[in-house]
C-alpha cells in the first residue's frame, strides 16, 4: 500500500503538466481558430460574412422597412401563411337558418338586411343616451342588441361563404416590440401622430373668448352697469359653462365649435371626413362591423337626440364590451381596438403629415391600457405596434379611404360603404 501511494504521488506532477498543456492548447485554439473556421471570414477571400445574430437583426429591420410597399416580402408571406393556417384550423361556424337564408340571397340583398338591422341598432344608441329607468329605452336597447348580433352574424356568414373578401382580412405586421427608430424607418414620426393639435377648434375657441371679453368690455364702457350687474353676467356665463361640462360632457360647446368650424373651414371638413372614413375602413378590415356614423356634431344631435354623444363612427362591439365587463381582454381584441382607435389620426398623418383631431381617441386608448394595468413599457409596445400596423393598412388603402369619405359625405348606408370597400380592394388586403 505504501509503494502504491508513493507511485501515485510521483505520477501526479506528470499528469498535472499533461492536463494543463491540453487545457492551454484548447484555449489557444478557441482564441485563434483557423481562418476557415473564424466567424465573419470566408476561407478563401476573407470577405466579411454577417454573423447569425446580426443577420437576424438585419432581417427584421428589412422586414419592417418593406412592410408597406413590398407585399412579396418574406415576413409578409410568413404572416399571411400563418393567418391562412389559423383560418384553416378554425372550425366553420354554424349559423341560424334565418341568417343562412339571408346570406343565400346574394351580397346585395344580404347587405340590405344588414342595413335594416343596423338602423335598429343605432336607435338603441339614441336610447342609450337616456336614463336606464325609462322602460321604452330599455326595450329599445334590447331590440338594438338583438339586431346588432343578427347583423354581425349575417356579415360573418357572408365572409365564410366568400361573398365578402375584406372583412377581418387585413394583412398585419408581425406582433413584437418595435423601437421608435423602426417607426422612423417606415417614415412615421410618432410625435406628430400621437399628439393631435386641434388647431382649428382651439383657434375658434380663442376667438370666441376674445369676442366675449371685448363684448363685455364694450358693454361696461357704454352702459356703465353696477358692480352687481357685471358680477351677475359673469356668474351666469360661468354657470352655463359648468352646466354644459357636468350635464352634457361639453356637448353644447362641441356642437357650437364644430358647427362654426364646418361653416368656415373646408380643410377642417375634408380632414374630418377622412378621419371617420379611416375609422370605418380599418374597423371593417380588422373584423369589426361599423354600426353607423355621423360627420358633424349637428348630425349626431339629430341622430341621437342628445348633446353628450359626439360625432363619429359607432361599431358593433358587443363581444369586446363583454370581454371588458369580464376584465379579460384577449390580445387579438386589444389589437383590433388599438388599431381602430388610432385609425383617424393615422389617416390625418398619412394625408397631411400631422394629426389635428382625435384627442379623444388617444385618451380612450390610453385609458383602456391604464385600466388593464399595463406597465409603461408594455403600453408603449402595444401603441407602437398598433401605429405601424394601422399606418401600413392606410397606406395600402389610401385611395379607398378617399373614395369612402366621399361616399360617407353623401350619406351612404353602412351596406353601401361595405360594397364600395369590397369593390375597391386589390390583391393585397
Amino acid at each position: 500500500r505504501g509503494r502504491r501511494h508513493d507511485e501515485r504521488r510521483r505520477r501526479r506532477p506528470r499528469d498535472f503538466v499533461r492536463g494543463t498543456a491540453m487545457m492551454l492548447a484548447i484555449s489557444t485554439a478557441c482564441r485563434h481558430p483557423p481562418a476557415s473556421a473564424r466567424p465573419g471570414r470566408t476561407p478563401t477571400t476573407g470577405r466579411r460574412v454577417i454573423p447569425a445574430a446580426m443577420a437576424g437583426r438585419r432581417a427584421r429591420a428589412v422586414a419592417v422597412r418593406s412592410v408597406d410597399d413590398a407585399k412579396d416580402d418574406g415576413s409578409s408571406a410568413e404572416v399571411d401563411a400563418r393567418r391562412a393556417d389559423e383560418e384553416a384550423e378554425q372550425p366553420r361556424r354554424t349559423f341560424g337558418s334565418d341568417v343562412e337564408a339571408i346570406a343565400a340571397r346574394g351580397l346585395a340583398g344580404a347587405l340590405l338586411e344588414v342595413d335594416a338591422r343596423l338602423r335598429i341598432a343605432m336607435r338603441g344608441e339614441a336610447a342609450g343616451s337616456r336614463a336606464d329607468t325609462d322602460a321604452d329605452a330599455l326595450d329599445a336597447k334590447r331590440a338594438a342588441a338583438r339586431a346588432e348580433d343578427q347583423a354581425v352574424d349575417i356579415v360573418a356568414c357572408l365572409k365564410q361563404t366568400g361573398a365578402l373578401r375584406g372583412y377581418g382580412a387585413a394583412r398585419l405586421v408581425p406582433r413584437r416590440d418595435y423601437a421608435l427608430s423602426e417607426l422612423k424607418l417606415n417614415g412615421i414620426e410618432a410625435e406628430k401622430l400621437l399628439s393631435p393639435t386641434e388647431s382649428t377648434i382651439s383657434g375658434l375657441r380663442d376667438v370666441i373668448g376674445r369676442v366675449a371679453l371685448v363684448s363685455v368690455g364694450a358693454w361696461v364702457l357704454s352702459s356703465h352697469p353696477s358692480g352687481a350687474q357685471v358680477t351677475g353676467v359673469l356668474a351666469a356665463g360661468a354657470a352655463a359653462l359648468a352646466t354644459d361640462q357636468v350635464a352634457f360632457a361639453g356637448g353644447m360647446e362641441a356642437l357650437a365649435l364644430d358647427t362654426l368650424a364646418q361653416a368656415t373651414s373646408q380643410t377642417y371638413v375634408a380632414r374630418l371626413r377622412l378621419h371617420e372614413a379611416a375609422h370605418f375602413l380599418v374597423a371593417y378590415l380588422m373584423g369589426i362591423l361599423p354600426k353607423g356614423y355621423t360627420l358633424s356634431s349637428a348630425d349626431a344631435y339629430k341622430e341621437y337626440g342628445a348633446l353628450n354623444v359626439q360625432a363619429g363612427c359607432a361599431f358593433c362591439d358587443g363581444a369586446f364590451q363583454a370581454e371588458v365587463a369580464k376584465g379579460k381582454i384577449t390580445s387579438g381584441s386589444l389589437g383590433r381596438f388599438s388599431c381602430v382607435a388610432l385609425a383617424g389620426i393615422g389617416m390625418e398623418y398619412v394625408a397631411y403629415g400631422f394629426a389635428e383631431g382625435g384627442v379623444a381617441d388617444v385618451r380612450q386608448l390610453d385609458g383602456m391600457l391604464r385600466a388593464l394595468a399595463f406597465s409603461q413599457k408594455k403600453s408603449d409596445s402595444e401603441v407602437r405596434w398598433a401605429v405601424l400596423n394601422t399606418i401600413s393598412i392606410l397606406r395600402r388603402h389610401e385611395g379607398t379611404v378617399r373614395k369612402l369619405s366621399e361616399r360617407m359625405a353623401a350619406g351612404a348606408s353602412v351596406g353601401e360603404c361595405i360594397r364600395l370597400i369590397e369593390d375597391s380592394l386589390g390583391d393585397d388586403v
Side-chain angles (χ1 to χ4, degrees), residues 103-426:
R105 298 177 189 174
L107 182 60
L111 289 179
L112 288 176
E113 294 292 335
V114 170
D115 280 335
R117 283 156 177 78
L118 291 180
R119 283 193 291 270
I120 298 174
M122 288 299 289
R123 287 198 290 269
E125 290 282 331
S129 63
R130 300 193 294 269
D132 290 341
T133 55
D134 190 335
D136 292 338
L138 290 175
D139 291 339
K141 289 179 184 179
R142 296 190 187 100
R146 290 192 298 269
E148 179 179 321
D149 292 341
Q150 291 172 357
V152 172
D153 286 344
I154 294 171
V155 172
C157 188
L158 290 171
K159 167 67 176 178
Q160 186 165 284
T161 58
L164 292 178
R165 188 167 62 92
Y167 182 65
R171 174 166 61 86
L172 311 181
V173 301
R175 266 271 194 184
R176 64 175 179 84
D177 292 338
Y178 290 95
L180 287 175
S181 58
E182 291 176 300
L183 297 185
K184 290 183 178 179
L185 284 174
N186 283 270
I188 301 173
E189 297 181 65
E191 62 275 8
K192 292 184 179 180
L193 190 151
L194 296 173
S195 302
T197 60
E198 288 200 330
S199 56
T200 302
I201 296 297
S202 299
L204 287 174
R205 186 183 288 111
D206 294 341
V207 169
I208 292 174
R210 292 192 186 99
V211 169
L213 184 60
V214 170
S215 299
V216 172
W219 171 64
V220 170
L221 293 175
S222 62
S223 302
H224 303 289
S226 65
Q229 289 176 319
V230 174
T231 303
V233 169
L234 296 177
L241 292 175
T243 301
D244 178 42
Q245 293 296 326
V246 174
F248 306 114
M252 293 178 64
E253 180 188 17
L255 176 61
L257 292 173
D258 180 71
T259 303
L260 186 58
Q262 299 221 19
T264 58
S265 175
Q266 288 301 313
T267 301
Y268 175 83
V269 173
R271 185 187 290 270
L272 179 61
R273 291 173 180 175
L274 286 176
H275 185 108
E276 298 305 333
H279 280 306
F280 192 109
L281 176 71
V282 171
Y284 179 77
L285 295 181
M286 294 293 291
I288 300 175
L289 178 64
K291 187 189 303 183
Y293 64 89
T294 52
L295 297 180
S296 69
S297 295
D299 291 341
Y301 180 72
K302 294 175 183 177
E303 182 73 26
Y304 304 116
L307 288 170
N308 58 350
V309 180
Q310 294 183 350
C313 288
F315 303 100
C316 298
D317 56 354
F320 180 75
Q321 295 298 334
E323 292 184 7
V324 172
K326 293 178 182 178
K328 297 180 180 179
I329 302 177
T330 64
S331 175
S333 296
L334 180 60
R336 287 190 290 271
F337 174 87
S338 302
C339 291
V340 173
L342 297 175
I345 60 176
M347 188 59 206
E348 291 191 37
Y349 179 80
V350 170
Y352 300 100
F354 67 97
E356 180 178 311
V359 172
D361 298 332
V362 176
R363 288 176 179 171
Q364 186 180 22
L365 178 58
D366 183 64
M368 175 62 67
L369 297 177
R370 289 179 183 274
L372 293 173
F374 275 23
S375 64
Q376 188 63 47
K377 181 179 179 181
K378 192 172 182 181
S379 296
D380 291 344
S381 175
E382 178 68 29
V383 170
R384 289 171 186 172
W385 173 84
V387 165
L388 182 58
N389 188 66
T390 304
I391 295 295
S392 301
I393 293 174
L394 292 172
R395 284 174 175 168
R396 288 198 301 273
H397 303 288
E398 182 178 356
T400 303
V401 175
R402 295 185 181 278
K403 293 178 184 178
L404 182 60
S405 69
E406 296 174 0
R407 188 68 63 87
M408 291 170 68
S413 67
V414 171
E416 291 171 340
C417 292
I418 290 175
R419 191 64 181 267
L420 171 66
I421 292 172
E422 290 291 331
D423 292 342
S424 302
L425 289 178

